[in-house]
Amino acid sequence: MTTTVKFTKMHGAGNDYIYVNTLLYNIADPAKAAIAWSAPHTGIGSDGLVLIGESKLPEADYSMRIFNADGSEAMMCGNASRCIGKYLFEKGITDKTDIRLLTLSGIKILRLHLDESGKKVESVTVDMLEPVLANRKQLASEDGSMTDGLVDVLDREFRGTFVSMGNPHFVIFVDDISGVDVEKYGKALEYDPLFPERCNIEFAQVLDGGKIRTRVWERGSGITMACGTGACATAVAAAKTGRATRTSDIVMDGGTLHIEWSEADNHVYMTGPAAFAFEGEGEIP
C-alpha cells in the first residue's frame, strides 16, 4: 500500500529542504526518503529532508532531525532551524515567538521577528550556543584544533581554521574566492583523513564594511546556496584569526546572514530570513 504525505519546501538564503511534520506523518526510513526526494530530476529536489517533531525532553518545545541529500544525518542546520520557526508560527502550531528547538547538537533558541501585522515571520535569530575550537573526534590533529593551519589537498595548499558548531567546519580564507574550484577542493577536503567524520568546507574572502564572501561545500550535500552553521563558523574563524571583528555579515550564494559572536556569553547568534517555496504531496519511498 502506497502512503503519501504532505510536505513543505522551504529555504533559508537559498539553502532548501523538504519539511515534513511528523506530528502528523510517520517517515519510517528518513534516510531513504531524503535520497529519493532530494534528487533534482526524479524527486522533489532539495539539499535534504527535515523532520519536525515533538521533543522527548521537557526543556524543548519541538525537535528537528535533518537528513542530507545523500541520506546521512546532520547534527545541526542553522538555515533549517530558522525555517522551522517560521513554519511552526505561520501554520498556527504555536504562538510563541521564542521557541526551544531540540537538535542533535543541543537545544537551540529561536527568536522570531514578526512584521507589523504580527502574523508573518520576517527573520529569525538563532542562539547557536558556543563554538567548539578543539574536537579530536572531528579533527585528527594532536589536540583536535587548528588555527590558520596548512593543509595540502590535490594540487594546492590551503590555510584553514577548524570550528565546530555541533557539526565540523574547516574555514579557508583566500584572496580571490572567484578563483577557487569549490566542488573540486571542497569534495576532496570533505573526505580528507584530517576529518574522521568528514567535514563541511568554507572558502571565504574578507571584504570591506564587515562583510565576508563565503562559498560552501556541505558534508553530504555538496555545494549549497547557504549554510547557517557554515556562516557562524566563518565569522568565528575570521574573528579568531584577526581578520574581522566579532560581528560580521556573511555573504553567501543565496543571501546574507548576520552573525554575532557575543563577548558576554561566548554564544554565536545568527539572524537571517526564512521563506516558503511551495507545498505538495509525495509518496513515501
Side-chain angles (χ1 to χ4, degrees):
M1 180 173 124
T2 300
T3 303
T4 62
V5 302
K6 291 185 177 180
F7 68 85
T8 301
K9 182 80 173 291
M10 300 184 73
H11 72 90
N15 191 194
D16 63 326
Y17 288 92
I18 300 158
Y19 293 78
V20 174
N21 182 355
T22 61
L23 300 172
L24 301 176
Y25 303 100
N26 178 48
I27 308 296
D29 191 344
K32 183 179 180 181
I35 293 170
W37 287 343
S38 297
H41 300 295
T42 58
I44 300 164
S46 72
D47 292 326
L49 171 65
V50 176
L51 305 182
I52 305 168
E54 63 181 7
S55 172
K56 296 179 180 179
L57 300 180
E59 296 85 359
D61 301 307
Y62 301 94
S63 68
M64 170 176 75
R65 291 185 70 189
I66 312 152
F67 293 84
N68 296 315
D70 68 353
S72 61
E73 186 166 9
M75 297 288 290
M76 174 58 187
C77 176
N79 289 319
S81 64
R82 295 199 317 275
C83 287
I84 286 180
K86 184 178 181 73
Y87 182 104
L88 291 169
F89 186 85
E90 293 193 11
K91 287 187 174 291
I93 299 171
T94 184
D95 60 0
K96 291 183 176 181
T97 54
D98 283 347
I99 299 171
R100 300 166 300 172
L101 185 66
L102 178 64
T103 76
L104 290 183
S105 63
I107 296 173
K108 312 297 183 182
I109 307 299
L110 316 180
R111 177 156 294 176
L112 312 185
H113 307 292
L114 308 181
D115 67 3
E116 292 183 357
S117 73
K119 297 179 180 180
K120 298 291 184 182
V121 177
E122 288 192 327
S123 64
V124 180
T125 297
V126 185
D127 180 354
M128 302 291 286
L129 305 179
E130 295 187 60
V132 175
L133 304 178
N135 187 324
R136 289 182 178 177
K137 291 183 179 180
Q138 296 178 339
L139 185 72
S141 68
E142 184 175 348
D143 63 354
S145 71
M146 183 177 290
T147 302
D148 262 351
L150 292 175
V151 176
D152 289 317
V153 58
L154 301 177
D155 56 351
R156 284 192 64 171
E157 183 179 70
F158 291 105
R159 187 178 292 278
T161 297
F162 173 81
V163 179
S164 177
M165 295 301 306
N167 53 359
H169 291 267
F170 192 65
V171 184
I172 297 168
F173 289 97
V174 296
D175 294 330
D176 181 10
I177 199 170
S178 64
V180 178
D181 188 332
V182 175
E183 181 174 8
K184 176 181 177 180
Y185 296 107
K187 185 175 183 178
L189 283 164
E190 176 189 352
Y191 288 93
D192 192 279
L194 183 63
F195 308 109
E197 298 180 352
R198 295 158 54 199
C199 196
N200 301 282
I201 310 300
E202 283 75 39
F203 296 94
Q205 178 183 349
V206 178
L207 308 176
D208 294 332
K211 294 182 178 181
I212 303 174
R213 177 71 175 101
T214 303
R215 296 198 67 202
V216 182
W217 176 270
E218 282 201 54
R219 177 180 62 170
S221 294
I223 294 175
T224 57
M225 297 288 285
C227 174
T229 54
C232 294
T234 299
V236 169
K240 181 175 172 57
T241 59
R243 291 180 169 90
T245 67
R246 295 174 74 100
T247 299
S248 298
D249 287 328
I250 309 301
V251 183
M252 311 187 100
D253 289 352
T256 300
L257 301 178
H258 180 75
I259 311 297
E260 179 190 358
W261 184 15
S262 172
E263 290 188 83
D265 58 10
N266 203 42
H267 287 205
V268 178
Y269 294 89
M270 173 192 62
T271 302
F276 289 102
F278 60 86
E279 312 268 356
E281 291 186 356
E283 295 183 357
I284 299 179

